[in-house]
Amino acid sequence: MRPVWCGVRTIAFGLGALLPATLSAQSIVSGYVRDSLTGRALGGAVIQLVPAATPWVAGRMATSDSIGRFRIDSVASGQYLFGFQHPRLDSLGLDGVTRTLDVDRAIRVLRADLAVPSGRTFVNTLCGTSADSTGAVIGRVFNADDGEPIAAGSVVVRFAQMRIDAGGVRRVPTLVTAQFGADGRYVACGIPTDAPVLLQARAGTGAAAARLGSSGEIEVAFMPRVPLVHRDLLVSLRTPDTVATASGAAPPRTAASARTGTARLTGRIIGSDGAPVGGARVSVQDTDVSATADSNGTFRISGLPSGTRTVEVVAIGYTPVRSTADLRPNRDATITVNIGAKVSTLAAVKVTAPADRSGFAARRATGNGYFLDASAIEGRGLQSVASVLTTVPSLRANGFSTVDPTRPNVSGRGNCKPDVFLDGMQMRDGTSGLDDIVQIRRLGGIEVYANAASAPPQFRGGGNCATILVWTRAYVP
């Protein structure tokens, strides 16, 4: 029997130990409770059975076991309100899931299952659509420091859509922004379900949003045939330093302090066979700290900023993978990352590599500037060069962002436009034309210099903003 969802907020049941003695128990009601969104059993669910005619009368209850199974004995014939409560429902914004149940004494054992509403039911109700192929991302945004909901802000969902026009077929970066209020709940509708999307929470609204803080940008994916993703997010709110400026205002925290903190991440890296993967490199995106897993596959990273963050794992012989961690101050967050099966490798061959015509490797060795090679660019999992650039710590620290998602261009505070060079040639339009000229999979390297003075002399365009050098694989093999 399929469960019926009675709304986002349903009536609460009265709980009791026994039915009135006048009701002669005849049947057994049993079944399973499961989460339709994940396909998993719900252990610890409180199942309630209340007479429909007298819902104020105490009813019967049971608790599901670790595999979601429950059983209520000695149930008299009649019609009942039948449902369950579980913390999972509260996280989804539901008070309870109920339906009516007819019990006939002629049926000795009545099978009656219960479930969290389906993803399509959620999407149809929350987004007002019944025949759309898109899905929704829902959840709550919490303060990583105290666990309380953040009063106001937004969640930005980023993905690429295919567009066909006179110029041919191209991928267009798209943003969906979902605002949230006092309870921290957000609903982002119209999200494509056929590929992973990027998700980031931002505290505050208007001008305050840039000062209050944000979560890291994480990747979420829809399960097959489930058009709903539920993901709560943690944001560490920034607080000004205690030393006031001459104007009397407290200065904001520096970019360096925003990338550090007191959170800790521990975990284990395993392969598809469950065996530990030693030597894997583990890093937390948008920070400068990383660790190497030991022979047991375990690792530990300290000094991390709080909030929901992306964790990147790279190991020789394996495909790089990304996971997610919810980091809180002065606490350990523990994750297990399955890095999958070892990729097939060819027998050793002698290869004569083309020369590095760009000087990329030589400049990287000096330690001046910020460098991304092809593997690091691919590991970002982003669809545009401009999007990759906004993950560079020195650019983020100086307010650089993509200001137009339909034609990405990178600019900083005061509308600062960086000098951009592609394979040594200066780009007149900055970064806005890069994605029309070169596909991100053809990039061999990116160099970023925070200001013109630190850039190589041959690549100083005359401005006093950042300098960005983009190289294809023809120049950086």
Side-chain angles (χ1 to χ4, degrees), residues 416-421 426 449-456 459-467:
C416 173
K417 300 293 185 183
D419 292 321
V420 181
F421 295 80
Q426 187 167 8
Y449 299 91
N451 51 65
S454 63
F459 298 114
R460 292 177 184 172
N464 193 30
C465 200
T467 298

Side-chain angles (χ1 to χ4, degrees), residues 241-319:
D241 294 333
T242 56
V243 180
T245 63
S247 65
R253 284 164 52 181
T254 64
S257 66
R259 297 198 301 270
T260 61
T262 60
R264 300 178 296 270
L265 177 65
T266 64
R268 192 163 184 255
I269 311 300
I270 61 173
S272 58
D273 58 356
V277 177
R281 191 70 173 170
V282 184
S283 60
V284 179
Q285 203 170 53
D286 296 330
T287 71
D288 300 322
V289 292
S290 60
T292 301
D294 61 20
S295 59
N296 294 318
T298 60
F299 68 91
R300 180 181 180 85
I301 307 177
S302 302
L304 294 171
S306 304
T308 301
R309 307 282 172 186
T310 292
V311 180
E312 298 180 336
V313 181
V314 179
I316 296 176
Y318 295 86
T319 301

Side-chain angles (χ1 to χ4, degrees), residues 4 64 71 82 88 197 269 276 290 295 350 362 437:
V4 177
S64 61
R71 174 186 171 116
F82 179 52
R88 172 67 164 158
V197 299
I269 311 300
S290 60
S295 59
K350 184 178 180 180
I437 299 173

Side-chain angles (χ1 to χ4, degrees), residues 355-402:
D356 178 7
R357 296 192 287 154
S358 67
F360 178 91
R363 289 190 294 272
R364 186 177 193 176
T366 67
N368 183 33
Y370 186 91
F371 291 78
L372 292 170
D373 57 21
S375 62
I377 295 170
E378 183 181 2
R380 294 294 196 271
L382 302 176
Q383 291 88 19
S384 70
V385 179
S387 297
V388 172
L389 291 174
T390 57
T391 68
V392 176
S394 60
L395 293 180
R396 291 171 65 92
N398 286 285
F400 284 87
S401 63
T402 50

